Amino acid sequence: MPAKKKSSIRPKKAAPKKVSLKKAPSPKKKTEIKYSDKSSGQPELLPIYAELKKLLLPYHKGSIQLRGDSGGQFNLVSEKEITVQGKKKPEVFFATLLVQKGYVGFYFMPVYSDPDVKKQIPKELLSCLKGKSCFHIKKSDPLIYSQIKEALQIGYDKYKAKNWVD
């Protein structure tokens, strides 16, 4: 009887476990406003957020309702059902403030929904526009605040003309 051959297949060794070199998270200071995972630079953003919020509050009227007024978020939404390009929508956003990592995001939907609004915004404020409807407000500037106040009125008037707000 022939002798059994030893198998030349060796069992695989387990791969060594990887060791994580990440540092433990450092404790963070509590601030009055903190948008979930955004943290650095916020103390100097608090006055900007407060000033912008003052500008938006007069538009909390009629069908425009306040949502999410906490944790560095502030939303104004028209809860009036509208029709856009043949599709019914239960609501339409008007404006939102959101504390981000190095700026306060001022999301202004009339700029997105009506190209004429963008044409009426002064160049200083328009230079803060970083997306379709998001303005990055990084410093306290009375000129920018006055232009935002103007833009809010223009946007509200456009929404009113489209019958998107009551």
Side-chain angles (χ1 to χ4, degrees), residues 67 77-82 84 88-93:
R67 288 196 195 155
V77 181
S78 177
E79 294 181 344
K80 182 175 183 179
E81 188 175 280
I82 64 168
V84 180
K88 288 191 177 194
K89 307 280 181 182
E91 61 192 16
V92 63
F93 276 79

Side-chain angles (χ1 to χ4, degrees), residues 108-156:
F108 187 52
M109 294 314 291
V111 168
Y112 179 73
S113 64
D114 192 331
D116 289 338
V117 173
K118 190 174 180 179
K119 293 174 187 172
Q120 296 176 45
I121 292 176
K123 67 179 180 174
E124 295 84 5
L125 179 57
L126 205 54
S127 71
C128 298
L129 185 63
K130 303 300 179 196
K132 293 179 182 177
S133 68
C134 181
F135 295 85
H136 291 197
I137 312 301
K138 296 179 179 182
K139 61 182 182 176
S140 187
D141 183 349
L143 176 64
I144 294 294
Y145 294 151
S146 69
Q147 291 178 355
I148 287 173
K149 186 175 182 178
E150 239 179 85
L152 285 165
Q153 188 59 55
I154 291 166
Y156 181 80

